Amino acid sequence: MKALCVFSGGLDSMLASQLVKAQDIEVLGLFFETPFFSSEKARKSARAINLPLKVIDLTGPHMEVVKDPRHGYGGNMNPCIDCHVLMLRTAGERLGKEKADFLVTGEVLGQRPMSQNKKSLATVAAESGFEGLILRPLSAKQLSPTIPEERGWVKRDELMGFSGRSRKPQMQLAE
């Protein structure tokens, strides 16, 4: 069993990848580089947790999303939902090439008001084309079970139910 983790290098994506790895699942991190997002932090974080990482240049498609986001902009001209769709679609399209079974993200329900509420997470999953294969380990118990959970690839009881903007649960888990 193998998962592809959309990996920013931040605490949430580090924890999400580790929760899945703890279930004896191979995890490959994917970082999507654009002129707005450098892979430096992701590379450093991946080394720190011994996570294999592939950096994918997403500049062309990302610039198209920035110019005309279907779902509009969040704060600071950030097309949050459209960017998440793009990243998850791109990651999902790599499942076969990487011989992986499902996707993982570090998203936390309610942490970002525009892009991480239940409606937005469902929209992103549906529009990515990989609905059901996107596991969000940090908030899994707050969300409907995914195919990896339903098929027993991942043990739901070993996942988290985090929600909200507080980082305290993540900091406790990291310790």
Side-chain angles (χ1 to χ4, degrees):
M1 191 65 41
K2 183 175 180 180
L4 301 180
C5 180
V6 176
F7 190 79
S8 69
L11 178 61
D12 294 340
S13 62
M14 291 173 74
L15 291 172
S17 68
Q18 294 306 288
L19 283 168
V20 174
K21 280 176 69 174
Q23 294 195 32
D24 294 322
I25 296 170
E26 182 182 354
V27 179
L28 171 64
L30 298 178
F31 180 85
F32 298 107
E33 196 160 51
T34 74
F36 305 102
F37 304 106
S38 164
S39 63
E40 184 178 336
K41 179 180 178 182
R43 290 176 192 273
K44 183 178 178 183
S45 296
R47 279 192 301 273
I49 60 172
N50 197 29
L51 179 74
L53 181 70
K54 286 199 174 179
V55 175
I56 299 163
D57 183 357
L58 203 60
T59 299
H62 185 255
M63 292 307 292
E64 293 305 312
V65 166
V66 170
K67 289 177 190 173
D68 187 25
R70 179 175 175 201
H71 295 282
Y73 296 105
N76 302 315
M77 295 278 298
N78 179 6
C80 301
I81 294 171
D82 299 277
C83 287
H84 286 204
V85 169
L86 176 62
M87 288 186 289
L88 285 165
R89 181 182 307 126
T90 304
E93 289 168 351
R94 294 187 70 92
L95 286 169
K97 180 178 181 179
E98 301 296 345
K99 298 182 180 147
D101 304 286
F102 62 98
L103 304 172
V104 173
T105 80
E107 294 166 300
V108 174
L109 180 65
Q111 190 175 75
R112 301 280 183 262
M114 182 177 173
S115 63
Q116 293 179 353
N117 58 62
K118 282 190 178 183
K119 182 180 177 193
S120 294
L121 293 176
T123 297
V124 167
E127 291 187 15
S128 74
F130 295 93
E131 189 172 20
L133 291 176
I134 301 169
L135 177 67
R136 296 172 170 105
L138 298 178
S139 293
K141 292 179 181 175
Q142 298 283 336
L143 302 168
S144 298
T146 61
I147 291 169
E149 295 165 277
E150 292 172 341
R151 294 192 180 165
W153 304 343
V154 173
K155 297 176 191 105
R156 186 174 173 89
D157 63 327
E158 294 180 20
L159 303 175
M160 302 294 117
F162 300 162
S163 66
R165 295 181 62 88
S166 174
R167 307 282 290 167
K168 288 180 184 176
Q170 290 94 314
M171 296 303 289
Q172 289 175 340
L173 181 60
E175 287 178 20

